[in-house]
């Protein structure tokens, strides 16, 4: 139990004893005492004034006197207007430190009997994972880890977008331009190879479209459909999708391939399976590098069929309606939205089709109390519609769905575009940050006395910490810019800065002796920063709970930074191995050991490893 939790219980009991006044314990407001005032925690008494019919300073004075008299752990109080500042005894803080040192799972919550499924990554098999996927993966993984630490049973899942028109674009380009190449023949990682064919299709389509604009047919359509005052460039940008679906030779071939796929044409399916297998091998290499894995993989090529069945049932029951062209729609106007297509007129599915099927089968597989979708904010409307449709279908889980929406990631050079081949692939970015870590470490020369293999492992941990922390520290809803050079800065709010605090402690502990048999019982006068560090570590459990419930890993990332920053300051201001007394030395070693433990655990919840040296 943390000091705040304990204090809430004490204040609750004291209000009852003093005034026979009962208040919701969770409603009692207690904060850390501001640095300009004396005390550890502050009780806000203003909410009690109406019921007690006393001025706030009087309530605070009477409550403070009672608490200090009755509670051994409280040794002093002071009142600033309606705020009661309380001071805990040094023995309390030493006891709390002992609890942290002896509990390797300190801060973790007991099992609460609830199950959550977290869906993240969810890649397309027409291109490799890129920087945007990395933010998705890191948010999904760290949220799942935090939920587990908060007491939930967690299922980590992904839905692989392995079918659809985008996949057929890569397949068609391979048929037209591939000349039988393979990852082995080309020396290219499988997902990268397929991504090159996706870009090739888009490049070829752009050339085809530009040529068509110069034809008599293209100019005639322009004259017949342009809006008054509309420039040619704007018209053709607006008309591109219509051209793809109606006139484009490449577009018609891709659509024909999609129909063949849905009809289970053997040749088409064989090509699809071969190309997807190359992509999956590539994905697994990237996942391994990022240190993530999944409990259950779902594939749209399976779930869209169930989605069609559910839509057919919904059409029969009146949840959906059919338009004259044969397409099927959901009317969501009663919930403030518009109509949403769930099946095309030619019978082929849309994203909504497979999402309906996926949600249903996941509930059947796992019976989760809650499902979390980690998807970028450009899909906000889609998920609002999906959740409302599932409610209309009376799916039992429909009211416990959550979209963890996040902003896009840019680079200092600007926005990325998959179709133009300007995306920064995840593998290249990982290699870049590891190289940045290598260059930074070499300039300091601190690893010259260990083997190259040991150095490479340290560089890997530093580089990945730089990448992961820089992305996770930003609130998910915010758009962000990732700067590889800034991410490895040892002096900024970065992963390596936090790792450095942990490594510094490991170096101290290696030089220390008799830590296990330490006698710090006679260390009486704790420094304010020592109490501050223990108080900060006591918050770890609450930070886990808050980050998990809000699905915001940035809370944990910022907590780890604050703790590391406080320890760096402590290290520079106070001696440890050459402390003023043996008791002070042993206490500070225990304090350092506890800080290292909390930092390591907190960063591991974010998927970040701690090196022993840097």
């Amino acid at each position: 139990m943390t000091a705040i939790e304990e204090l809430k219980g004490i204040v609750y009991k004291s209000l009852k004893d003093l005034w026979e006044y009962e208040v919701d314990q969770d409603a009692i407001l207690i904060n850390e005492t501001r640095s300009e005032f004396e005390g550890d925690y502050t009780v806000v008494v203003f909410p009690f004034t109406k019921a007690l019919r006393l001025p706030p300073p009087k309530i605070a004075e009477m409550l403070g006197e009672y608490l200090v008299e009755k509670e051994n752990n409280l040794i002093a109080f002071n009142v600033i207007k309606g705020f009661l500042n309380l001071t805990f005894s040094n023995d309390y803080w030493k006891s709390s430190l002992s609890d942290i040192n002896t509990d390797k799972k300190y801060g973790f919550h007991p099992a609460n009997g609830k199950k959550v499924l977290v869906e993240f990554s969810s890649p397309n098999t027409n291109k490799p994972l890129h920087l945007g996927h990395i933010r998705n993966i890191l948010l999904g993984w760290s949220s799942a880890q935090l939920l587990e630490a908060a007491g939930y049973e967690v299922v980590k899942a992904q839905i692989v977008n392995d079918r659809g028109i985008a996949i057929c674009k890569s397949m068609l380009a391979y048929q037209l331009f591939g000349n039988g190449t393979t990852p082995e023949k080309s020396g290219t990682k499988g997902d990268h190879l397929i991504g090159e064919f996706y870009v090739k299709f888009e490049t070829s389509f752009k050339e085809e479209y530009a040529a068509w604009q110069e034809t008599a047919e293209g100019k005639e359509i322009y004259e017949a459909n342009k809006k008054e005052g509309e420039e040619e460039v704007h018209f053709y940008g607006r008309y591109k999708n219509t051209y793809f679906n109606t006139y484009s030779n490449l577009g018609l071939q891709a659509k024909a391939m999609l129909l063949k796929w849905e009809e289970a044409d053997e040749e088409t399916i064989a090509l699809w399976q071969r190309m997807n297998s190359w992509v999956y091998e590539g994905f697994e290499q990237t996942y391994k590098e990022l240190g993530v894995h999944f409990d259950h993989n779902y594939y749209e090529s399976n779930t869209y069929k169930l989605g069609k069945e559910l839509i057919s049932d919904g059409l029969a029951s009146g949840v959906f309606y059919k338009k004259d062209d044969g397409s099927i729609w959901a009317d969501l106007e009663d919930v403030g939205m518009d109509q949403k297509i769930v099946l095309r007129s030619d019978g082929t599915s849309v994203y909504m089709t497979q999402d309906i099927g996926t949600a249903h089968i996941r509930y059947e597989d796992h019976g989760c109390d809650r499902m979390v979708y980690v998807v970028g904010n450009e899909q906000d409307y889609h998920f609002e519609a999906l959740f409302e449709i599932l409610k209309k279908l009376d799916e039992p889980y429909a009211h416990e769905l959550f979209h963890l929406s996040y902003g896009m990631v840019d680079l200092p050079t600007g926005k990325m575009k998959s179709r133009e081949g300007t995306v920064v692939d995840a593998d290249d970015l990982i290699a870049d940050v590891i190289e940045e870590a290598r260059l930074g470490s070499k300039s300091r020369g601190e690893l010259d006395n260990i083997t190259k293999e040991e150095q490479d492992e340290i560089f890997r941990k530093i580089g990945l910490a730089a990448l992961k922390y820089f992305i996770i520290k930003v609130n998910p809803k915010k758009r962000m810019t990732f700067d590889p050079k800034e991410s490895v800065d040892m002096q900024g709010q970065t992963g390596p800065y936090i790792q450095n605090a942990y490594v510094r402690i490991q170096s101290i502990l290696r030089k220390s002796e008799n830590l296990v048999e330490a006698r710090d019982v006679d260390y009486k006068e704790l420094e304010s920063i020592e109490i501050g560090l223990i108080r900060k570590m006591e918050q770890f459990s609450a930070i886990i709970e808050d980050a998990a419930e809000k699905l915001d890993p940035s809370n944990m990332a910022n907590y780890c930074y604050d703790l590391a920053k406080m320890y760096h300051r402590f290290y520079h201001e106070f001696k440890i191995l050459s402390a003023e007394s043996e008791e002070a030395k042993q206490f500070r070693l225990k304090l350092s050991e506890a800080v290292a433990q909390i930092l390591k655990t907190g960063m591991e919840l974010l998927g970040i490893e701690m090196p022993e040296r840097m």
Side-chain angles (χ1 to χ4, degrees):
M1 183 182 292
T2 67
I4 287 182
E5 291 170 337
E6 183 176 337
L7 197 50
K8 281 188 176 186
I10 294 170
V11 171
Y12 170 82
K13 183 177 182 301
S14 299
L15 290 170
K16 195 173 179 180
D17 291 345
L18 282 169
W19 293 286
E20 296 185 351
Y21 174 53
E22 288 194 52
V23 63
D24 182 357
Q25 191 166 314
D26 291 335
I28 297 172
L29 299 178
I30 300 177
N31 304 308
E32 278 192 56
T33 301
R34 288 164 54 179
S35 58
E36 62 265 35
F37 301 120
E38 184 178 345
D40 295 311
Y41 290 103
T42 299
V43 181
V44 183
V45 303
F46 290 102
F48 312 144
T49 55
K50 186 176 180 180
L52 300 182
R53 297 182 181 180
L54 291 170
K58 183 63 176 177
I59 296 172
E61 189 75 29
M62 293 176 67
L63 185 59
E65 289 178 354
Y66 187 83
L67 289 171
V68 170
E69 178 185 351
K70 296 292 184 181
E71 297 297 326
N72 293 332
N73 287 331
L74 295 172
I75 58 172
F77 78 94
N78 65 84
V79 176
I80 306 294
K81 297 182 179 178
F83 300 94
L84 171 60
N85 302 321
L86 297 166
T87 300
F88 276 76
S89 69
N90 286 344
D91 285 343
Y92 170 83
W93 295 117
K94 291 165 72 174
S95 175
S96 181
L97 176 61
S98 179
D99 290 343
I100 298 170
N101 283 123
T102 55
D103 183 0
K104 298 309 177 185
K105 285 286 188 179
Y106 182 83
F108 281 45
H109 296 245
N112 59 24
K114 296 180 180 179
K115 184 186 288 189
V116 181
L117 183 144
V118 181
E119 175 202 291
F120 60 102
S121 187
S122 304
N124 297 323
T125 57
N126 64 323
K127 54 191 173 185
L129 301 171
H130 55 66
L131 176 55
H133 285 115
I134 286 182
R135 188 174 199 192
N136 182 305
I137 292 165
L138 298 181
L139 285 174
W141 180 263
S142 54
S143 294
Q145 296 285 94
L146 287 161
L147 284 164
E148 286 183 349
Y152 292 87
E153 180 183 352
V154 178
V155 178
K156 303 179 185 76
Q158 68 170 332
I159 174 71
V160 180
N161 305 306
D162 63 341
R163 59 165 302 281
I165 194 66
I167 311 303
C168 289
K169 288 179 180 180
S170 293
M171 291 168 61
L172 179 61
Y174 182 81
Q175 279 187 334
L176 296 174
F177 313 114
N179 297 317
T181 191
T182 66
E184 292 74 22
K185 289 179 183 178
S186 64
T188 305
K189 192 163 168 274
D191 52 335
H192 287 242
L193 179 64
I194 302 308
E196 290 174 6
F197 284 108
Y198 179 66
V199 172
K200 178 63 176 175
F201 178 94
E202 291 297 337
T203 302
S204 299
F205 171 70
K206 188 183 292 186
E207 293 171 354
E208 181 194 81
Y209 187 44
W212 176 81
Q213 292 173 33
E214 300 301 317
T215 65
E217 182 182 41
K219 291 178 179 178
E220 182 181 342
I221 287 176
Y222 167 63
E223 292 297 334
N225 292 279
K226 69 177 181 178
K227 296 177 181 178
E228 184 176 351
E230 183 176 34
E231 295 180 12
E232 188 172 319
V233 64
H234 292 139
F235 167 78
Y236 284 118
R238 177 171 58 85
Y239 197 73
K240 184 179 286 187
N241 285 341
T242 302
Y243 171 77
F244 178 86
N245 289 315
T246 309
Y247 301 99
S248 167
N249 180 44
L250 287 170
L252 293 175
Q253 287 185 76
K255 289 175 67 179
M257 179 175 280
L258 179 59
L259 286 171
K260 282 185 176 182
W261 185 92
E262 295 210 1
E263 292 167 357
D265 174 73
E266 289 186 10
E267 184 178 343
T268 304
I269 294 296
L271 176 62
W272 170 77
Q273 290 174 335
R274 184 164 70 254
M275 293 177 69
N276 275 357
S277 70
W278 298 340
V279 174
Y280 296 148
E281 289 177 7
F283 285 170
E284 282 307 311
Q285 291 178 42
T286 308
Y287 288 147
K288 184 177 180 181
E289 191 69 36
L290 288 171
V292 305
H293 59 82
F294 298 91
D295 302 311
H296 201 142
N297 294 322
Y298 290 91
Y299 300 90
E300 286 190 356
S301 54
N302 295 324
T303 63
Y304 89 100
K305 297 174 184 176
L306 177 57
K308 283 187 172 184
E309 293 175 12
L310 293 169
I311 289 167
S312 178
D313 293 342
L315 182 62
S317 65
V319 172
F320 304 119
Y321 70 94
K322 184 179 288 189
K323 288 190 175 183
D324 292 340
D325 65 355
S327 59
I328 300 176
W329 296 69
D331 185 352
L332 302 175
E333 288 187 347
D334 61 322
V335 291
M337 304 174 75
D338 57 11
Q339 285 79 29
K340 187 74 174 177
I341 188 170
V342 295
L343 205 63
R344 294 191 186 97
S345 57
D346 61 4
T348 57
S349 63
V350 293
Y351 281 122
M352 188 63 73
T353 316
Q354 50 248 24
D355 282 348
I356 291 170
T358 303
H360 183 91
I361 197 170
R362 286 196 303 213
Y363 183 75
E364 287 191 335
D365 287 343
H366 300 288
C368 295
D369 300 286
R370 192 181 186 195
M371 293 189 204
V372 177
Y373 296 77
V374 184
V375 184
N377 58 14
E378 76 278 9
Q379 295 295 327
D380 284 353
Y381 187 82
H382 172 84
F383 281 97
E384 287 179 33
L386 171 64
F387 297 167
E388 291 300 331
I389 288 171
L390 292 170
K391 290 174 187 175
K392 289 179 180 291
L393 288 170
D394 289 328
E395 292 290 307
Y397 52 84
H399 292 276
E400 295 298 334
L401 301 173
F402 183 83
H403 175 203
L404 175 47
S405 173
Y406 63 89
M408 295 296 99
V409 187
D410 298 322
L411 289 165
T413 52
K415 188 177 180 180
M416 306 176 297
K417 296 180 181 179
S418 297
R419 294 180 180 181
E420 297 178 8
T422 59
V423 161
V424 174
D425 293 330
D427 302 307
D428 295 336
L429 188 59
I430 291 169
D432 286 347
V433 291
I434 292 174
E435 183 58 25
E436 288 288 345
R438 185 188 307 277
L439 293 173
S441 293
K442 281 191 172 181
S443 67
R444 293 186 294 273
E446 295 174 2
L447 301 177
D448 294 343
N449 61 339
I450 62 175
T451 67
K452 182 180 182 304
E453 290 74 17
E454 290 173 319
Q455 289 182 21
D456 288 343
E457 179 62 8
I458 290 172
F459 298 146
R460 183 190 69 81
K461 288 181 178 179
I462 296 173
L464 285 171
L467 170 62
K468 293 179 178 183
Y469 186 86
F470 200 91
I471 289 175
I472 293 172
K473 74 177 181 179
V474 179
N475 181 283
K477 294 186 182 301
K478 294 182 179 179
R479 189 166 188 144
M480 64 170 295
T481 299
F482 177 75
D483 187 334
K485 290 187 181 295
E486 185 181 342
S487 73
V488 297
D489 184 0
M490 283 288 198
Q491 302 304 315
Q493 187 180 353
T494 65
Y497 175 86
I498 299 169
Q499 286 178 319
N500 190 41
Y502 176 83
V503 167
R504 172 169 275 165
I505 293 170
Q506 298 313 302
S507 176
I508 293 169
L509 295 178
R510 282 194 294 270
K511 297 174 184 176
S512 68
E513 295 178 1
N514 302 322
L515 178 59
V516 176
E517 300 175 5
R519 294 185 60 194
D520 62 337
V521 67
D522 295 324
Y523 183 60
K524 301 294 186 182
E525 298 301 321
L526 275 64
E527 301 290 344
S528 60
I529 193 170
E530 293 171 335
I531 292 173
L533 281 166
I534 301 170
R535 188 166 59 227
K536 191 73 178 175
M537 289 187 284
E538 267 203 343
Q539 298 170 11
F540 188 51
S541 178
I543 294 295
I544 288 175
E545 182 177 24
D546 185 62
E549 294 305 321
K550 292 178 180 176
L551 293 171
D552 184 0
S554 70
N555 289 351
M556 178 59 72
N558 291 314
Y559 168 83
C560 290
Y561 171 72
D562 290 341
L563 180 58
K565 185 178 180 181
M566 187 180 291
Y567 185 83
H568 281 305
R569 183 162 67 88
F570 166 71
Y571 173 83
H572 287 296
E573 292 181 5
F574 293 92
K575 296 177 181 179
I576 300 175
L577 294 176
S578 58
E580 61 273 18
S581 68
E582 182 64 18
E583 291 80 15
K585 170 187 170 183
Q586 298 299 346
F587 176 83
R588 290 169 187 170
L589 284 171
K590 283 188 174 181
L591 180 63
S592 298
E593 184 182 42
V595 170
Q597 175 188 321
I598 297 295
L599 286 177
K600 183 176 183 180
T601 305
M603 292 291 269
E604 284 177 347
L605 289 174
L606 304 179
I608 297 172
E609 299 173 87
M610 293 299 222
E612 296 297 310
R613 302 173 186 273
M614 290 179 74

